[in-house]
Amino acid sequence: MHVPTKLLDDPADAVTDALRGLAAVHPELTVDLEHHVVSRNHDHSGDHRPGKVGLVSGGGSGHEPLHAGFVGLGMLDAAACGAVFTSPVPDQVLAATTAASSGGGVVHVVKNYTGDVLNFQMAAELADDEDIAVETVLVDDDVAVTDSLYTAGRRGTGGTLFVEKVLGAAAEEGMALAELAALGRDVVSRSRSFGVALSPCTTPGSDRPGFDLEPGEMELGIGIHGEPGRRRVPVPATGVAREVARTSVAAIADDMPLDGEELLLLVNGMGGTPLLELQVLAGDVVTELTARGARIGRALVGNHVTSLEMAGSMVSVCRATPQLLQLWDAPVRTPALRWGA
Amino acid sequence: MGRVSPALTAAGVRDWLQRFATAVDTHASDLTDLDRPIGDSDHGVNLQRGMHAVLAALDAAEPATPGAALVKAGSTLVSTVGGASGPLLGTLLRRTGKALGDAESADGPAFAAALRAGLDAVVALGGAHVGDATLVDALAPAVEALEAGGSAQEAADAAARGAASTDELVARKGRASYLGERGIGQRDPGAASIALLIAALTEDAS
């Protein structure tokens, strides 16, 4: 007999029920249960700004709070929520784009996964048919994918949060469409991430984990679904956080100079790792970064870009500029990220 | 063994896709298992949902021509499947249908040419070529078999061989590409489902 281990009513309705719950506790959000689109409820918040560039993201569900949890003042205007680990279809992305559009065009923030890229691309064409100008910012921050000529390219992972926060703030300040997209591409070029899985995750309704990881093994260089990265290694008997910090920072530093840089830092949990452990990791990551001559400008620690209940971490950094720090500090009021507003 | 020619009609497209949907139902868990090593595990389920929607859409719209039926089927797949499979399979059917135009029926050469247009659209969209361990490895040999005047069975055999060839390839596109050499020994799920689609052209397929 199948014994449920997940807090669900019907696994088949997991995404719909989660969005219904989000709607129930966040009147400042509009939740379109047909299209699985979450957008800002301007009637409630009174912050409608005609001509503001709309910021839309989305992707498979199961990465909460990404993306629906980042809809609100200072961040996204709308998020399209696909099935678990499956990109939304073009109709959903178009519905999100329409909801986010108030005349100034719309930026799509897209993680570099084949399904996300194709569906957002088709949605952008549909939006063009409706005279909504769309610019796409493709996030590909994951350093674990090295031979990108022979793969679908670097994946979009934790750095997505930097892009969404910075562009959200810039859009509130009235930045125009092309300028905003260029800023987004600059943030991507300054961002790098490296993920580690200590356990796999199981999608709702499935009776098996998405991949197998033996006790005592960890997978280095994962994407946000636990897809394999660089290699699988034994978990050290002691100093696990130190080892993960060392490996993650070394992988990032091999790819992008950190010496003398002031960084935005995200020490992200994959959903199954408690904050206590992430704080241990954060301390070790800061030690590694400062030993390499970097300074921590701003840091965020917690489960922000997750893979259901997977245990593990993702270290993301963005080389800051005064402008990026100012935009990072700008007010944000969303279910999952909130300061200064 | 049924030839595609003569005369693939709107009803013929409905029957073809009905047989494909049945095959997807039968093999859903196999397709999902193929998808599992790359951390997604939903190809079978997604395709099942899409094909049930396709059959419902065809019954509701009753398209008059094989081209219209394929366009309807493709658009429905794009709108229901998600992931990479929805846009790619949907584009294949939609562009094959568009290439057939308003013709009442399509004979073998016309269908082969239309399926070539579908293949070209898939390549343009996804950027994969033969040897990248994607659905193109199953689709391209099937198109070539039909262009050479082969029967539906010959096309199905070519597609099956093409799908099997992905076992030994290192994927260069899609999520499987992250497996690198660890993907050797893994059949591409998209190629496996295309092999089912082409096999469904034969009337005794199930």
Side-chain angles (χ1 to χ4, degrees), chain A residues 241 244-245 267-268 276-286 313 315:
Chain A
V244 168
V267 177
N268 178 58
L276 179 126
E277 295 172 33
L278 294 177
Q279 284 169 342
V280 173
L281 177 64
D284 292 332
V285 166
V286 171
S313 63
V315 175

Side-chain angles (χ1 to χ4, degrees), chain A residues 190 262 298 319-329:
Chain A
R190 296 171 163 276
E262 183 168 21
R298 306 287 186 274
R319 287 185 300 145
T321 63
Q323 181 198 23
L324 293 189
L325 289 171
Q326 176 255 317
L327 292 167
W328 182 260
D329 289 341

Side-chain angles (χ1 to χ4, degrees), chain A residues 116-168:
Chain A
D116 292 278
V117 172
L118 295 183
N119 284 285
F120 273 87
Q121 184 184 330
M122 296 182 107
E125 287 169 22
L126 295 172
D128 186 61
D129 292 346
E130 297 190 7
D131 291 327
I132 301 174
V134 172
E135 287 269 358
T136 299
V137 174
L138 192 65
V139 185
D140 57 350
D141 56 314
D142 166 34
V143 300
V145 180
T146 46
D147 50 353
S148 56
L149 278 179
Y150 303 107
T151 66
R154 289 182 169 192
R155 298 168 290 211
T157 56
T160 311
L161 183 113
F162 300 137
V163 176
E164 292 180 2
K165 173 67 184 79
V166 166
L167 293 197

Side-chain angles (χ1 to χ4, degrees), chain A residues 42-60:
Chain A
H42 295 295
D43 292 342
H44 184 276
S45 53
D47 57 3
H48 181 58
R49 297 247 316 278
K52 180 186 111 49
V53 176
L55 195 60
V56 168
S57 193

Side-chain angles (χ1 to χ4, degrees), chain B residues 1-94:
Chain B
M1 293 307 130
R3 275 185 176 269
V4 178
S5 60
L8 183 67
T9 59
V13 168
R14 172 74 172 71
D15 292 344
W16 170 28
L17 297 179
Q18 171 71 66
R19 289 191 293 269
F20 177 52
T22 304
V24 170
D25 282 338
T26 306
H27 296 284
S29 65
D30 302 338
L31 291 171
T32 291
D33 281 347
L34 292 178
D35 200 19
R36 192 167 163 270
I38 55 178
D40 201 5
S41 340
D42 59 2
H43 184 61
V45 177
N46 283 343
L47 209 50
Q48 247 183 324
R49 186 179 63 240
M51 286 312 297
H52 288 175
V54 163
L55 295 180
L58 290 179
D59 288 345
E62 294 185 24
T65 64
L70 284 167
V71 168
K72 186 74 190 169
S75 307
T76 306
L77 281 181
V78 170
S79 296
T80 52
V81 174
S85 310
L88 292 170
L89 254 170
T91 294
L92 170 65
L93 297 187
R94 203 168 57 80

Side-chain angles (χ1 to χ4, degrees), chain A residues 5 83 93 97 122 138 155 172 180 221 224 243 290 315 335:
Chain A
T5 56
V93 179
T97 305
M122 296 182 107
L138 192 65
R155 298 168 290 211
E172 297 293 350
L180 199 64
I224 54 174
E243 181 63 23
T290 49
V315 175

